[in-house]
Amino acid sequence: MGLLSDPNRRKAITTARILILNMILVLHGDSVVCYLAGIAWFMGLAFEPFTLRTYMSENAMGSTMVEERFPSGERALATAREFAAHKKKVGGMPVDWLVKTMRAQGLEVFTQSFSRNLPFPDESKERFVVRGTNVYGILRAPRAPRTEALVLSAPCSPGNSNNQAVGLLLGLAQYFRSQIYWAKDIIFLVNEHDLIGVQAWLEGYHHTNITGMGYTPLQGRAGSIQAALSLELNSDVVTSLDLVLEGLNGQLPNLDLANLFHAFCQKLGILCTIQGKLQRSDWDTVEGYTHSAQTMLLMVLKQASGRPWGEHGLFLRYHIEAASIRGVNSFRQYKTDATSIGRLFEGMVRKLNNLLERLHQSYFFYLMPSLTRFVSIGYYMPAFGLLTTILLLRALDLWVHLGTPTPVTEDGVGEGESPSSPGLLSVLTPVVISHLTGVALYTLPVLSQEMAVEHFPVSETEAVVLTAIAIYTAGLALPHNTHRLISGEGTEQGWRVLKLVALLYLAVLLGCTALINFSLGFILAVTLVPAAACVTPHVPKALSAVAMVLLSPGCTILYCVFLFQELQEVPVSLAEGWMLFLSVISQGILDHALYGSLVYPLLALLVYPCWLLFWNILFWK
Amino acid sequence: MAALSRKWDPLFVLVLGSLVFSCKGDVLKTSNDRTESISATKIEESSPQAADLGDLRQSDEAESNEDRKAFTPPPPNDQFQEEMVIRPLYSGDIYASFQFRTQWDTDFLHDGKKAVSHYRLFPKSLGQVLSKFSVRELHISFTQGYWRTMQWGQPFIPSPPGAELWVWFHHTVTDVDGNWKELTNVLSGIFCASLNFIDSTNTVEPSASFKPLGLGNATDHRFLRYATLPREIVCTENLTPWKKLLPCGSKAGLAVLMKSEKLFHSSFHSQAVHIRPVCKDWQCTSTAWELRQTLNVVFDLYTSGQGKKEWSLFKMFSRTLTEACPLASSSKIYVDVTDNPGGELFDLSPSSPLISTAVVLGDRRTYSVYDLTKKETFGQLRSLNLLLRWKGESDDMLRPPLHAERYVSGFGLQKGEIHTCLYNSHPYRAYPVLLLDSLPWYLRLYVHTLTVTSKTRENKPSYIHYQPSKDRLRPHLLEMLVQLPPHSVTEVTVQFERALLKWTEYTPDPNHGFYIGSSVISALVPSIVAMDTNSTRDRPLFSSFFPTKEESSYFMRVYTEPLLVNLPTPDFSMPYNVICLTCTVVAVGYGSFYNLLTRTFQVDEPSAPLAKRLANIIRRLRGVPLL
C-alpha cells in the first residue's frame, strides 16, 4: 500500500528506473545475441538428445493390444478395379455403384450433393464451378445409441489415382460389418473433389455454413465424431506409409494419433515416414542431424502455410482428431501389400473404438523431427520468446528515451502533455493509411479480377495474383504520400512514438500468431524482427530500403517456396520458383475462400500493414 | 390434451390385449399343486433388496404364515400369460419381442396391507413397492442400443436408450418428491441399476406427454414423475433380477430362451416392466393389477446371422423350446407372416395351421400362431425350433409414418444448437405431435431462439409448456404441440450455451462429454390401414368406405437419439500441478524464509552464570548430564 506513497520507495523506484536504463544500454548490443540464440535454440530442437521420445499417453489405447485379422486385401484390390471401371464409365464419381455396394455390405448409405463456385478458377486443379456428390455409409455399432462415431474417408480423385484407397475402404467396411465389438458407429466416407467435398460434408454434418458452400442437408448422422482417418492409396503395393498431420491454420491432431500410427507400423513391420522421410538412427553424425532438421523444417513450413495438407486437415476445426495416411510406392525392394495396410487400419480403428474419452491426454502443440521424437510447446516456445524479447527490449528502450528528457527540461512537473498531441496525429495517420492499404490488398484482387481480365491479356487467376502483387508494391510508395496529409514536419519525437507503437504492435501480433500457429509466428519473426529492430530514419536510405524489402512478408513467402523445394529434394530454378510463388499466392487466397484459412487475411490485414509502419519510419521526414 | 391421451387408452389395451386374452383355465388346474410349491419358494426367494422394506417384509411373513395354517384353496384370482412375437425385418435382421403378463384381482392401495399379504404369481418385491409408495402406475425400461425406425419399422413398445422411469402416484400422496426419491432407490436395488442417480436435476413433471395407461383419468401432473438416465448401461446384472420376477423364472416356458450371452450379442436389447391398474372384466366392475414384463431384442444379420437370411430359435437364442411355463394360462409364439401370404418370401417350418390377424400399430398384420400348451406343437422331437429360411429378396420397407432425429450443430465449446427433425411421411394427412424435451441445466437454453419450421415456413406450436431450469436443481422442460404437415420435415431448433461447471461437478471422464436424454415424441398417427384408399386388397366393398374408428389412427411414441455434448473442460492435471508446485514452494521456500524472518537471534553468552556453574559441578559429581 505504501509502496508508491513512501518517498524512500519512490527514490528506490527512480533508482531502479535508471538501472533499467543502463541495463538496456548494455543490452543494446545484445539484440544480436538474442536473435542468434533464438535461431540456435530453434535449430537445436532437431538434435536428438534435446528432444523427447514419443510415448502413448492415452491409457485406453496403450496397454490393450488388439489382434488384427483383416483377411481380404486381394478382394479389396478387386473392388478397387471394379470401382475404377465404374468411375471411368461414369466419368466421375460412380454414385449409384457406391450406394449399391455399400448397401449390399449392410451399411446405412446416404448421399450429399454440393456445389461451390470458386471466386476465381483454380488453375492447378482446373476447376471453377464445382459440383459433386459425397457418398457415405454408416456402420451402426450394435447396442450403441448413436452418440459417438469414427470416420474413415477416401477421396474419389479424378484420373486413376486413389482407386485402391476406395477399394480398401470398402473392403474394410465389409470386414468391420461382421464384427460385434464396435462401440462407436463408423462412417465410411467417399468424397468427390477432395477437400471441397470434405468441407461440404463436414459443414453438412455440423449444420454450419462458414464458407458459402451450397449443399443438401445430411439424412443420416451418428453423433459426435471422435476421430477420423483419411486414406490415400495409389498402388496395389506400397513401400512405405506417410503420415500427414498438418491441418487447417496449422492445427495439429493430438500426438497420440501419430503414436498410434507409429505403434502399428512397428507391430506390422510397415515402413513409416513423416514428411516423406524415414527415420535415421545415426543422430550423432552430421547427416543424421541434417536429416532430422530437414524433417522438422518441412513440418514448420507446412504448418506455417496454414493450409490443410490432407483431407484430415478440415476435421480439426470441429475438434475431431484426424490424420491422413498416404501410401508411397517408390523403388525400394521392401513392399507391403493391401492386407497389411488393411490390418494397420483395422488396428487403428479398433484402438480408437476403445477410446473412452476424446483424445486429449497427449500434446496438441508439437513439432516432429522424426516419428519417434517430438518437441513440445515448452521446448520450442523459448526460441520464439528470444526473438520477441528483442522487440520488447527495443520498445522499452524507446519508452525510456521518450520518457526521460521531459523531466529533465521541465523539472518533472506536468509531464509533457503538449508534445504528445501532434505526435498522436502523426502516429495515427500512417497506422490508418497502412491498414487501409492492407484492406485493399485483402479485398481488391478478387473484386477487380473481371476488370483486370478485360484490360490485360491475362487469365483470371493471373489477374488476381498480379493485382495482389501490384497493390503490395504500390504500398511501398505510401510514405511519400502520407506526409502530405500530416500537417507540419515529422519530428524526431514522432518517429520514436510511431516505432514504439509499431514494435509493440508487431510483438503482440507475432505473439498471438505463434500461440495459434507457432511455425507461422516463428517464420515471420525470423524475417520481421531484424528489420523492425534496426530501422530508423537515420540509416543509409538505399541500402536499408533494399534490406527492408528483402525482409518483407512477401519475400518471406518467396524464400519459403525455395526452401520447401530444396528440403523436398526437388530444387527449382528461379523462373520455376517464381511461378510456384505465384501459384502459392493464388492457392492461399483460394484456401481462405474455400476452407477459411486465416493466413492470407492475417498477412494482408495485419502483418503487411505492420511492416508498412516500419517502412514509413525508414522514410520519415 | 387429455382427450388425446384418453382416446388411445382402450385402443392400446385392445391391440396388445387382444393377442393375449384367450384364457386357458385347464392348464392352471392341472398344475395347481406345483403352483403352490413354486409360489412358496418364490416368496422366500424374492427378498426385497432394499433395507427400507425390511420391517415390512417381516410383518408380511408373519401374516402369510397365519394364512397358510387356515389354507383352503380359493379360486385363483391371478393369471399369467406369456407370448413371443417374431417379426422378420426388411433389413434381414430379426426382431423378437417377449411379453409376460401377470394379472391379479387385488388392490394394493385401498384395502390396506392385509389384502396383499399372500403372493402367488405376482412378485412380492414389486407388490410391496406398489403399496408402500402408493404407486398408481409404474413404467421402467432398460435399453441398450437405439431402435432404428428407418430400418426396422416400429417397435411394439418403444423405449429410449438407457434407463427410463415414469411413475404416477396415487392422488392421496402428500410428499410426491419424497416418495419418488425413495422409490428410485428401492427400484435401483431391485433391478441392480443406477436408478439412484435420479434426482431433482433430471426429473421432470411432463404436463401432457405421459398420461396414465391404466384405469383412471388422472390429469394432475403433480403426481407424475419422469426421468431418464441416457448413460445407463444394461447388462446381465439387470437381466437376472428381471427374470426373477417371472413366475417360472428362466426354468420353463419362453424364458428359457433368455440366455444372456445371446441376448447381448444383438443389435438392440430392451427390457421393461409396466405395472398399471386394468379392468377385471369386460364390465369393468372392479380393478385388477397388471404386471407386464417385456423384452425386445433384434439380432443382426451380419454379426449373429453370418450374413445368411436364415433364422431359427436355436440360432437366435442357442436354445429350443420344449414346454410352456406350467403356471401360464396361455403360452404362444406369433410369427409375422404378413409379407409372406403364399410362402413365396420365406419358408417357415414347422408350419402352423393357426393364423391370427390383428391390427398392430395401424397396420393389419397376419401371424402364424404356435400354442405351446398343446403337445402337438412340439412334434415328435418334443422340441420346437422355428426355422425361417428366405427364398427371395424382400422389397423395400414402407417408410414409417413418423420418425425423428436429433443432433447438435455448430462447433466450438461456447455455443451450440439442438436440431430436432420430425419427419411426417404420410402422403396426405397432417397430424399433431407432442414433443417433450428435458435438458440438463448446464445447457443454458436461449429460448428466444426457439424456432419451428416446416417446409421453410414458420410453424407456430399451438401449445408450449416451458419450465426454465434452476442451476444444480432442476432441468429444462420443454413441451409443445406441433402440427406436422403431410410429407414434410419439421425442424425444431434452439440454441444453447455450454456452462462451465464447478470442478467437482465434472464426471470422472469429462472429455467423453455429457449425455442429454432423448426427446420424446408422442402422436396419434393416421393408420396405414386407413391410408389404403385404392382398395387393392380383397375386402368387401361395404367395409372400406368409411375408415373405422379404431383403425383410423393409433398412438405412437418415438424417441430420438440421445446427444453427447462436450462442455468446456479444464485440464484436470493442471490443479494437481499447481497444488504440487505451491506446496513445494510453500514448504521449502516460504517455510525457511519465514523461519529466518521470525527467529530471534541471540548472542551466545561466553560464560554461564554462577548458579549454573555450581549446578553443573554438582551434576558432574552425580554423573548426570550437564545443563
Side-chain angles (χ1 to χ4, degrees), chain B residues 445-466:
Chain B
L445 283 192
Y446 294 158
V447 186
H448 70 278
T449 60
L450 178 75
T451 55
V452 184
T453 43
S454 19
K455 294 183 169 171
T456 67
R457 211 176 299 154
E458 200 196 333
N459 182 350
K460 208 167 165 354
S462 51
Y463 166 79
I464 291 190
H465 172 75
Y466 174 66

Side-chain angles (χ1 to χ4, degrees), chain A residues 104-106 108 140-143 145-148 177-179 206-208 210 219 221 318 356-358 360, chain B residues 144-146 148 151 161 264 266-267 300 302-303 405 407 409-411 419 423 509-512 562 564 566:
Chain A
Q105 288 172 346
E108 282 181 30
R140 296 288 182 195
R143 282 170 293 109
R146 297 192 176 178
T147 45
E148 294 171 279
R177 183 65 180 83
S178 54
Q179 307 305 316
H206 294 94
H207 203 283
T208 53
I210 327 164
Q219 293 296 318
R221 286 187 175 77
Y318 299 91
L356 297 173
E357 303 181 62
R358 277 171 188 280
H360 69 284
Chain B
Q144 183 77 351
Y146 179 73
R148 305 170 198 168
Q151 275 77 43
F264 291 103
S266 58
S267 301
D300 189 81
Y302 295 90
T303 54
E405 61 172 21
Y407 59 93
S409 74
F411 56 92
H419 288 245
Y423 294 84
D509 53 351
N511 283 291
H512 180 66
L564 188 61
N566 277 88

Side-chain angles (χ1 to χ4, degrees), chain A residues 58 115 201 318 373 378-379 473 495 498 519 561 595:
Chain A
E58 177 63 59
S115 67
W201 189 80
Y318 299 91
R373 295 268 158 185
Y379 287 78
T473 328
W495 76 260
L498 181 62
S519 303
V561 169
Y595 318 120

